[in-house]
Amino acid sequence: MNTIQLDQSYIAPTYKRFPVEIVSGKGSLVRDAAGKEYIDMGSGIAVTSFGVADDEWVAAVEAQIRSVQHMSNLYYTSPCARLAEALCLRTGMSKVFFSNSGAEANECAIKAARKWAAEHKGPACSTIVTLENSFHGRTLTTLAATGQAHYHELYQPLTPGFAHFRAGDLDGLKSLCADGSVAAVLIECIQGEGGVVPLDPSFVSELEAFLKEQEILLMIDEVQTGNGRTGKLYAYMNYGLHPDVVTTAKGLAGGLPIGACLLGEKTKDVFTYGDHGSTFGGNPVSCAAALSVISRLTDSFLSGVESKAALLRSLLEGAPGILSVSGMGLMLGLKTVRPAAEVVKACMENGVLCLTAKDKVRLLPALNIPEDLLRKAAEIIRAACA
Ligand code: PLP
C-alpha cells in the first residue's frame, strides 16, 4: 500500500486530508511525492516559523539531539532554563511551565487560575470566562473553554466551570462576574480558528481595566498569534496589554512540539512541587529549537514581518473576488466570493498551499518567506479568487 492507502487504513479519520503527500521542502517551498512544488502559505498552521528544514533551525536541533535528546524533569537542562529566561525577559512575565501543545499550555493556565483564585478569593471563585467563537484546544477542558458549541456536541459532559460572552459585550461579562465566581478571562487577540477575527482595541482595553479593578486574571491565548506572527513577539503587544498569564505553542519551536504557559507577577508562585508536570514538557530538543526561533525574532526581523504583511495585504485587498481581508501581520483571513474550500483547492492545483478558517481563506506563511514567493503566491491566490 502507498502512504495514502496506509493512512486511510490505519489512521483514525479525524482529519480531512488533501490527496497530497508532502515529502520534502526548503524554506517556503515544499514538494509532494510526485515531485510537484508548492509555495507553503500555511506553514503547518503557523508552526514552521522559518519554513521547512531551515539551516539555522536544523543546526540548533541537531546540536542538541547529539548531546542529550531527553532528560526527565527531575534534572536541570540548559535549553529549558535558557528558553524560560528568554521568554520572561522578552515579555516581562516571571515564570514558565513547559508542555507539548497549545491545549496543554491552556490547561496549565486554567489550573494556575483556579489555584490562584482559590487561594486569593476562596474556593467558590473558579469560573473561567472565554469569548464566543474562541478556540482553545481539544482536550475535554479546553473544549469547554472553546466558545463554539459544535465542538462540544459529541463529548458531554465537559469540564464544568466555564462561561462565554460575546466580544464587545462588556456588560455581558459584568453580569457573569457579578456573583464573584469568575477567576479569569481567557482571550485570543485574533480569533484564529474562529475566522481570523481581531478583537477591537477599545473593547480590549476596557476589558483589561475592568478585570484589573475586579482582581480577575487576564489570560491571553497566543498559541496561533504568538512568536512573531502578527509583527510583534506576541499579539497582545499590539494592544498594549499587561496580561497575568500568556499561553503559546505552535510556532515557538518552529516545528517541534512545545507549549508554554507564562506566569506573571500575580501568578508566578502559584505552583509548587507536584502541582503540575509533563514527561516531555521542557524537552531539550524542543527548547533548543525554540531558543533558536526566539533569538531570531529581533525588532528588525519583526519589522520585516510587518513589511511583508503590508505587501501581502496590498496585493490581495480589493482584488476581484476578494470581499475583505482581516487579520494582523502574516495572519490573514480572506472573505471570498467563491467558497473558501474551492479557492484553497484551486490554489493547491496551481502550486500554493493555503488554509481555511470558518468561511475564510486563511494565510499563515513562514515569517521569513521571500518577497518573490509572496508575490507569486498572491498572484495565484488572486487568480483562484477571481
Ligand atoms: N489555542 C489556539 C488559539 C489555537 O489556535 C489552537 C490550535 O489551533 C490551540 C489553542 C490548540 O493547540 P494544539 O493543537 O497545539 O493543542
Side-chain angles (χ1 to χ4, degrees):
M1 285 196 278
N2 65 25
T3 301
I4 293 179
Q5 291 162 336
L6 279 172
D7 190 301
Q8 289 177 350
S9 302
Y10 292 110
I11 301 278
T14 63
Y15 305 105
K16 190 159 186 265
R17 300 199 207 275
F18 293 102
V20 170
E21 179 192 352
I22 300 295
V23 292
S24 63
K26 193 77 192 163
S28 287
L29 290 174
V30 294
R31 204 169 289 243
D32 71 14
K36 180 173 170 180
E37 202 168 64
Y38 303 84
I39 303 171
D40 183 5
M41 292 294 283
S43 65
I45 319 190
V47 169
T48 47
S49 306
F50 289 90
V52 172
D54 171 81
D55 289 335
E56 208 176 319
W57 182 88
V58 169
V61 168
E62 198 178 342
Q64 185 57 44
I65 248 175
R66 287 184 187 285
S67 75
V68 57
Q69 84 278 24
H70 174 77
M71 192 37 66
S72 126
N73 275 311
L74 296 174
Y75 307 96
Y76 296 100
T77 56
S78 164
C80 171
R82 287 189 298 130
L83 176 61
E85 178 198 33
L87 289 171
C88 289
L89 292 178
R90 297 283 297 269
T91 59
M93 302 299 279
S94 306
K95 298 248 166 153
V96 181
F97 179 87
F98 287 118
S99 56
N100 314 287
S101 66
E104 286 171 86
N106 285 334
E107 289 267 352
C108 178
I110 292 160
K111 286 175 87 169
R114 290 237 166 109
K115 185 160 186 243
W116 176 85
E119 286 171 355
H120 288 80
K121 301 173 99 178
C125 181
S126 61
T127 301
I128 310 293
V129 174
T130 72
L131 290 173
E132 289 172 11
N133 197 45
S134 58
F135 185 85
H136 297 293
R138 302 232 186 210
T139 62
L140 283 176
T141 296
T142 56
L143 272 184
T146 291
Q148 300 190 57
H150 70 98
Y151 286 109
H152 298 175
E153 278 155 16
L154 303 175
Y155 302 108
Q156 298 295 328
L158 300 177
T159 308
F162 289 86
H164 313 283
F165 75 109
R166 192 170 39 77
D169 180 16
L170 206 56
D171 288 340
L173 174 67
K174 285 180 182 171
S175 60
L176 290 173
C177 296
D179 62 359
S181 65
V182 174
V185 171
L186 171 67
I187 58 169
E188 302 156 88
C189 289
I190 306 171
Q191 297 185 324
E193 301 304 308
V196 195
V197 185
L199 298 185
D200 173 54
S202 56
F203 158 65
V204 172
S205 47
E206 282 170 33
L207 171 70
E208 180 177 48
F210 171 71
L211 297 181
K212 195 159 272 167
E213 174 202 301
Q214 298 286 315
E215 275 204 83
I216 293 171
L217 299 178
L218 172 60
M219 311 206 293
I220 314 258
D221 179 337
E222 294 273 358
V223 170
Q224 191 162 149
T225 50
N227 311 301
R229 176 64 38 203
T230 67
K232 294 267 188 279
L233 186 61
Y234 291 104
Y236 75 79
M237 295 170 174
N238 293 296
Y239 288 82
L241 295 173
H242 300 90
D244 298 303
V245 176
V246 175
T247 59
T248 190
K250 283 192 182 284
L252 176 57
L256 285 176
I258 195 166
C261 177
L262 281 52
L263 303 166
E265 192 55 33
K266 275 191 199 151
T267 50
K268 67 180 182 191
D269 296 321
V270 72
F271 290 132
T272 184
Y273 299 133
D275 278 353
H276 200 35
S278 162
T279 296
F280 284 111
N283 170 271
V285 181
S286 292
C287 288
L291 258 175
S292 150
V293 168
I294 289 290
S295 70
R296 293 166 75 183
L297 300 178
T298 58
D299 288 347
S300 72
F301 180 85
L302 292 173
S303 70
V305 170
E306 282 180 340
S307 327
K308 281 176 215 255
L311 171 69
L312 183 58
R313 243 181 205 275
S314 72
L315 294 169
L316 298 171
E317 253 163 4
I322 299 181
L323 299 170
S324 64
V325 180
S326 64
M328 211 182 271
L330 289 173
M331 175 175 185
L332 295 182
L334 315 180
K335 209 165 179 47
T336 51
V337 174
R338 288 179 78 185
E342 270 183 30
V343 172
V344 169
K345 188 163 174 276
C347 285
M348 177 173 282
E349 282 160 10
N350 292 305
V352 171
L353 301 182
C354 326
L355 306 160
T356 57
K358 290 247 167 117
D359 61 342
K360 289 188 186 157
V361 176
R362 178 171 39 158
L363 305 177
L364 297 162
L367 306 180
N368 65 341
I369 184 169
E371 199 180 303
D372 60 326
L373 289 185
L374 208 53
R375 286 184 185 277
K376 203 167 153 195
E379 200 178 299
I380 291 168
I381 294 165
R382 281 169 64 111
C385 292

